[in-house]
Amino acid sequence: EPVGVATGPRTAPPMLDGYDTLATWTVEELLAGRRSSLDTVSAPVAPVVVGEGRIAMATALALSARSMETTLLHRGRVGADAGALSRVAYAERLDRQGVRRVRGRPVRLSADGAWWSDDAGEAGLLATDAVVLADRRRPERPRGMERLACTVRRVGDAREPRDLTAAIAEGREAIEAFTRSLSEPPRAIR
């Protein structure tokens, strides 16, 4: 019997010094109400959201809507994973809600905040009480799937994080292939 796996991606925290000095969550941990890297549960007052995609922008907007002074630290073009209209709409909302945008990448965390640098050699400190990681995504892959006595096919973000439309199309193709294989007569084994 065929099995399709579509688990979605999770945030892959970057290699940084200082997780033990500044409260840090992945976006999934924050949404689930889990404890930070410092074992705190209280919501941050002035968070820095690290990321440039739709998830990072939505996270920054949600935190700023709670009257939090929010900064979005991004490496490239904000909303690069969104269509042009969505990107413009997100940018306008970020501006309207007062989300500060800083182009760069985190290089280290300290009790004072998040240290960053950019490709032009600029660097600085973003004073913050917490960091929310909403950037690099990796597939969520349940263990033990290879031991199943069936055909397993990973689809969508379970294979590679990307656009929702592509993930849905890939899932539909997998289902159609499974369906075709069930309706074909058994093949002789040679």
Side-chain angles (χ1 to χ4, degrees), residues 83-138:
L85 289 175
S86 294
R87 196 170 38 253
V88 169
Y90 269 117
E92 288 177 3
R93 284 192 63 201
L94 290 167
D95 291 342
R96 201 169 43 246
Q97 286 185 219
V99 174
R100 178 180 169 205
R101 288 186 264 171
V102 176
R103 189 173 185 139
R105 64 188 171 286
V107 292
R108 144 175 95 83
L109 306 176
S110 72
D112 298 323
W115 292 88
W116 63 274
S117 70
D118 67 12
D119 294 336
E122 288 192 50
L125 172 68
L126 295 171
T128 182
D129 62 337
V131 169
V132 179
L133 303 170
D135 194 19
R136 306 277 177 170
R137 315 282 289 161
R138 69 171 185 258

Side-chain angles (χ1 to χ4, degrees), residues 9-97:
R10 296 192 60 77
T11 300
M15 296 296 291
L16 293 173
D17 287 333
Y19 287 121
D20 59 340
T21 61
L22 183 64
T24 307
W25 288 269
T26 64
V27 66
E28 296 90 359
E29 292 165 342
L30 186 66
L31 289 173
R34 294 194 191 121
R35 295 181 176 278
S36 74
S37 61
L38 297 182
D39 204 31
T40 58
V41 291
S42 58
V45 176
V48 169
V49 177
V50 177
E52 60 195 22
R54 289 175 288 189
I55 292 171
M57 292 185 299
T59 302
L61 288 170
L63 292 172
S64 70
R66 295 181 184 166
S67 301
M68 296 177 183
E69 185 180 319
T70 306
T71 300
L72 180 63
L73 178 60
H74 59 94
R75 279 189 310 271
R77 187 169 88 182
V78 175
D81 65 342
L85 289 175
S86 294
R87 196 170 38 253
V88 169
Y90 269 117
E92 288 177 3
R93 284 192 63 201
L94 290 167
D95 291 342
R96 201 169 43 246
Q97 286 185 219

